[in-house]
Amino acid sequence: MKSITEKLTYPGTTIDQVAAMLADPTFREQVADYQQAERSSAEISGTGAGSTARVEIVHGTEHVPSFARKFVGDEIAIVQEETWTSDTHADVLVTIPGKPGDMTGTFDLAQVRDDVVETVQLAVKVNIPFVGGKVEDLIAGLLSKAFRAENKVGQRWLAGS
């Protein structure tokens, strides 16, 4: 199992602003566009406690190492499901449909002076004998890169550009 921890900072914002951004399907689509996804969808129900989000982003595998490409095929669909139990905490499940393994963890929002810090913590587990660890490392790297991309898009979104 591989662990991911990312701290994403949104300068000069409030938790309400970041929560509203995360609850906006248009924002989620802009993140997918920034990542050059082949296709994506975002279904969001509500805001704050009790809300849910299901985001699917499909990427090509041209940049995936050959050892992993035989497991994932021509594309990688990543489905992220969030259940917000409060305005500042979500339980998260990330899956790659039809592939062995999953990622579970949390998103937490905290006001730190004038900024909001989102802490992402995920455990990546891939059930493939012999190469599971390599695939976990690959997926962890892809997810970390995706969260950093979301942060860049989010900073621009919140700044109004």
Side-chain angles (χ1 to χ4, degrees):
M1 184 166 53
K2 176 84 175 171
S3 295
I4 300 172
T5 299
E6 292 286 335
K7 291 205 179 276
L8 311 171
T9 301
Y10 296 99
T13 59
T14 66
I15 287 175
D16 287 344
Q17 290 171 307
V18 174
M21 173 187 74
L22 294 173
D24 190 322
T26 303
F27 166 71
R28 302 295 184 119
E29 292 291 335
Q30 284 187 10
V31 171
D33 290 346
Y34 181 85
Q35 295 178 40
Q36 300 177 342
E38 291 186 4
R39 62 187 181 281
S40 65
S41 65
E43 300 168 15
I44 298 173
S45 170
T47 58
S51 67
T52 60
R54 184 184 187 281
V55 180
E56 181 174 0
I57 299 178
V58 179
H59 294 282
T61 58
E62 59 275 356
H63 300 295
V64 172
S66 59
F67 81 87
R69 204 171 306 137
K70 67 181 175 182
F71 295 110
V72 297
D74 294 333
E75 62 183 26
I76 300 173
I78 298 173
V79 177
Q80 178 174 304
E81 297 175 296
E82 306 164 13
T83 303
W84 288 85
T85 58
S86 74
D87 291 343
T88 59
H89 176 85
D91 294 319
V92 182
L93 172 64
V94 182
T95 57
I96 301 173
K99 308 300 182 230
D102 59 43
M103 288 107 324
T104 57
T106 59
F107 294 166
D108 288 291
L109 302 176
Q111 191 75 48
V112 180
R113 292 177 289 287
D114 292 337
D115 305 335
V116 172
V117 176
E118 179 182 12
T119 302
V120 175
Q121 294 185 306
L122 292 174
V124 179
K125 185 176 181 187
V126 176
N127 302 316
I128 302 173
F130 305 113
V131 296
K134 284 185 179 184
V135 176
E136 287 172 354
D137 287 343
L138 174 69
I139 292 171
L142 290 172
L143 287 174
S144 288
K145 185 177 177 183
F147 288 123
R148 289 190 297 269
E150 181 175 297
N151 185 238
K152 285 181 186 178
V153 174
Q155 287 177 10
R156 283 189 236 154
W157 174 279
L158 293 163
S161 14

